[in-house]
Amino acid sequence: VGLALTLLAGALGYGFVRQSGERFTPGPRVALVQANFPSDIGDKHSAGEVWFMHNRLTAMGVQHQPDFVIWPESGFRWPLLQAGEGMTEAKLRAVAPRIPVEEWGTTGEAVPGMLRDLATQANAGLLVGLTAFTADEKHGMRRFNSAAFSRPELGLVGRYDKRHRVAFGEYVPLRDVFPF
């Protein structure tokens, strides 16, 4: 018991000394938003339900006036569709026959507009995880697990596409070799 109390007193004393010597300057205020949805294959939750919960949690966070709001990787369920330069309706139909041509666009379309509106309502930069599809003549249609950054009034200003998927979380290795 004496040894345990000595170790506890030593840890508390060390923590007090370390904290008293440092002066921290305030940095950006960040609101991290994470709803409690189970992550399973064949997700049963609708895009609207997930969006509503994250939007509600964002509204709770903006009361503290954050500089940035960050949503989780799968928090925004609508895909971002971006067509490259020179992609005509015929070319889009050829590379992505299952996606209606009118859903492809650039900034100012449905999803970038939603992201702009969310950032404007929060009056903060917004980072959300979403699925992005790009279509161009060189690569055809490609799908990315992306992080999109939106700023108030400006809208979508950047996107980062994940380059390496997580084994067993985002794909099953050797699925073709061992189908079971």
Side-chain angles (χ1 to χ4, degrees):
V1 172
L3 178 62
L5 289 175
T6 302
L7 290 174
L8 179 62
L12 291 174
Y14 176 75
F16 178 75
V17 169
R18 289 289 294 158
Q19 285 186 340
S20 65
E22 296 290 330
R23 295 290 167 218
F24 292 99
T25 58
R29 190 175 289 233
V30 179
L32 300 174
V33 176
Q34 176 70 58
N36 187 18
F37 287 103
S39 175
D40 58 355
I41 296 173
D43 196 355
K44 302 170 210 57
H45 303 286
S46 71
E49 182 182 2
V50 172
W51 178 86
F52 176 77
M53 181 57 72
H54 285 97
N55 197 32
R56 189 168 145 229
L57 291 170
T58 299
M60 293 168 63
V62 298
Q63 296 173 8
H64 302 283
Q65 301 171 340
D67 298 308
F68 299 101
V69 176
I70 301 175
W71 283 22
E73 185 176 21
S74 59
F76 193 87
R77 299 286 175 97
W78 291 280
L80 175 64
L81 304 172
Q82 293 184 315
E85 294 276 331
M87 290 299 288
T88 64
E89 289 185 12
K91 290 177 184 176
L92 285 171
R93 281 191 191 96
V95 297
R98 294 184 180 162
I99 300 175
V101 172
E102 58 273 4
E103 292 188 22
W104 289 95
T106 56
T107 56
E109 297 296 325
V111 169
M114 288 176 72
L115 295 174
R116 180 196 62 240
D117 292 346
L118 283 169
T120 301
Q121 289 168 4
N123 194 29
L126 177 69
L127 184 67
V128 299
L130 50 71
T131 301
F133 290 91
T134 61
D136 59 32
E137 292 185 63
K138 183 177 180 182
H139 299 103
M141 185 179 79
R142 296 188 297 169
R143 178 178 184 235
F144 298 98
N145 185 359
S146 301
F149 182 63
S150 184
R151 291 183 48 198
E153 309 299 333
L154 295 176
L156 185 63
V157 294
R159 186 182 92 221
Y160 171 78
D161 299 325
K162 190 173 193 178
R163 292 185 176 22
H164 300 286
R165 296 182 301 159
V166 177
F168 299 105
E170 296 172 335
Y171 77 100
V172 177
L174 303 173
R175 176 177 252 165
D176 297 334
V177 177
F178 303 109
F180 53 87

